[in-house]
Amino acid sequence: MNIKATLDRIPGGMMVVPLLLGATINTFFPNALRIGGFTEALFVNSASTLIALFLLIAGTQITFKTAGSSVGKGLTLLTFKWAIGAGLGFIAILFADSNGLFLGLAPLAIIAAMTNSNGGLYIALAGQYGKEDDKAAYPFLALSDGPFLTMVALSIFGAMGFANGMFSPMSFVAVLLPLIVGVIIGNLDRNLAEWLHKGSDKLVPFFAFALGMGINFSSIIQGGLGGILLGVLTVLLTGGVGYLLFKAIGWNPIVGASEGSTAGNAVGTPAAIVAANASFGPIAEIATVQIAASVVTTAILLPIFIGFLSKRLEKSGGVAKYNERPTT
């Protein structure tokens, strides 16, 4: 049995297959691997640790000369995704029906799901299709975690006042620090950097499986068609625009498309918004289940979408022509 060859034939296989396997186990046998010890530590709770290590190793490949490209890509990813989510949310607020819904979707769910992104999914896809400065852009995406960007959007729309203290700058520092440690190591000792870099891709299927252990397919049923629609729109709009924007700039377009997802932490955004402004209470529940459905839908659909885009890109030279360009 040649498992690796099979996974290599599936677009994003090293990431998507373990992720779906983890989600299947978590949905039908949620306690099967939650038995404590090394088993639970590796297969259930390891995602954050392994991603942090993956970032540190990525950082070792970033020299001070090339760090600017990572900053540029990170801020570009963060900005365009926020603009799409906030823009569509604004349209939904303007044209919402008497129930406060637009096409069956809660405007709050649209903003929270589309301005947020699954960092683990991004770094798995960027690790497979991109290069080191693409992976190193990840810490900037941490700014989209939680309710911060949703609150910024709602504040701009005048729907609520901005609440200080909902976002801690320390959260950003906590995500950035492993990368900085890697950059320091890489710039001090290239031999150590190359030693760390060898085999780093082996981390991807392990943290993808652990991410899957946080997904429950029942969320799709609870969120209904509205939640599935939200997930599909998140992939097509934010992933599609990211693809076109990066391609226009001359960066790897697959990396731009890899932002088209919703992270699990977005599920808590409606509750945080309600805590700051109780007027959102009536739509918080439906927004929560729709976001949860979007989390699952995007986790499944985005790797398939990326595989489709990658196949199309192969007709014009594939991602290699972007990854072979010198980092500036």
Side-chain angles (χ1 to χ4, degrees), residues 80-81 112-123 125 141 144 230-240 256-264 266 291 294-303 305:
F80 89 76
K81 192 163 169 63
M114 287 195 174
T115 60
N116 185 285
S117 66
N118 187 329
L121 199 55
Y122 168 82
I123 204 161
L125 293 168
L141 309 183
S144 69
L230 180 59
V232 172
L233 290 175
T234 299
V235 171
L236 295 182
L237 292 181
T238 64
S258 299
E259 260 290 85
S261 64
T262 303
I291 293 169
S294 179
V295 171
V296 179
T297 302
T298 58
I300 297 171
L301 184 59
L302 181 61
F305 185 56

Side-chain angles (χ1 to χ4, degrees), residues 59-63 185-195:
T60 64
Q61 305 304 304
I62 303 298
T63 65
I185 292 173
N187 282 273
L188 288 175
D189 187 343
R190 293 310 304 165
N191 289 328
L192 180 57
E194 293 307 315
W195 178 79

Side-chain angles (χ1 to χ4, degrees), residues 72-141:
K73 290 177 181 178
L75 293 178
T76 302
L77 289 167
L78 189 70
T79 301
F80 89 76
K81 192 163 169 63
W82 180 86
I84 293 172
L88 191 57
F90 182 61
I91 293 173
I93 291 173
L94 289 179
F95 296 101
D97 59 22
S98 57
N99 295 319
L101 303 177
F102 173 72
L103 299 177
L105 297 174
L108 176 58
I110 293 174
I111 299 172
M114 287 195 174
T115 60
N116 185 285
S117 66
N118 187 329
L121 199 55
Y122 168 82
I123 204 161
L125 293 168
Q128 181 161 356
Y129 293 98
K131 53 184 181 177
E132 298 307 322
D133 65 329
D134 296 320
K135 289 182 280 186
Y138 168 76
F140 295 94
L141 309 183

Side-chain angles (χ1 to χ4, degrees), residues 9-13 15-16 125 128-129 235 243 254 257-258 300-314 319:
R9 285 196 291 270
I10 301 172
M15 189 279 298
V16 69
L125 293 168
Q128 181 161 356
Y129 293 98
V235 171
Y243 179 90
I254 297 298
S258 299
I300 297 171
L301 184 59
L302 181 61
I304 298 172
F305 185 56
I306 291 292
F308 168 76
L309 294 175
S310 178
K311 289 287 185 184
R312 284 182 57 86
L313 201 60
E314 287 178 2
V319 297

Side-chain angles (χ1 to χ4, degrees), residues 30-54:
N31 296 318
L33 297 177
R34 290 182 169 87
I35 57 176
F38 290 156
T39 298
E40 185 167 347
L42 177 61
F43 295 117
V44 180
N45 300 323
S46 64
S48 295
T49 303
L50 294 179
I51 290 173
L53 178 58
F54 196 68

